Amino acid sequence: MAYAHDPDHDRLWIQGGVVTSVGEASDCWSLDLSDTSSATWRMQSNLPAKPRELSVGGYDRTGNRFLIGGGSGGAGGSDYQDFNEVWSLPSAAGPWS
């Protein structure tokens, strides 16, 4: 699972990981940390690449975007693959690039 904190909007971003009943995930969520009374996660997008785990995340304050890189997928089966790519999602929840 990749995650990062957006300090300008006090938001936590997460993407991917493993869901026991499904396998690797590709969805991306954000949580507004300034309003902890509601604690509502908001679905932002699905990564348009293969689902993954063990990726890393970061927040680019200059570009105002959530970044993820690397990871692996295939849950250890015959389709297991390591990824060597970086994806970005604008904070305004535009499309991944």
Side-chain angles (χ1 to χ4, degrees):
M1 173 188 310
Y3 62 92
H5 178 244
D6 168 2
D8 297 324
H9 301 100
D10 201 18
R11 187 181 319 177
L12 178 65
W13 291 85
I14 65 166
Q15 187 280 325
V18 176
V19 179
T20 305
S21 61
V22 178
E24 292 93 358
S26 63
D27 48 343
C28 180
W29 298 79
S30 70
L31 175 65
D32 182 354
L33 299 174
S34 65
D35 181 13
T36 56
S37 64
S38 67
T40 302
W41 286 93
R42 290 186 172 77
M43 174 70 163
Q44 297 297 326
S45 178
N46 276 320
L47 182 66
K50 290 186 176 181
R52 64 198 61 219
E53 61 178 325
L54 304 173
S55 53
V56 296
Y59 196 79
D60 172 15
R61 291 178 82 173
T62 303
N64 197 27
R65 59 193 179 155
F66 175 49
L67 302 169
I68 69 153
S72 59
S78 61
D79 60 343
Y80 180 83
Q81 180 179 2
D82 287 326
F83 300 110
N84 184 19
E85 56 194 12
V86 176
W87 291 86
S88 69
L89 178 67
S91 186
W96 285 96
S97 61

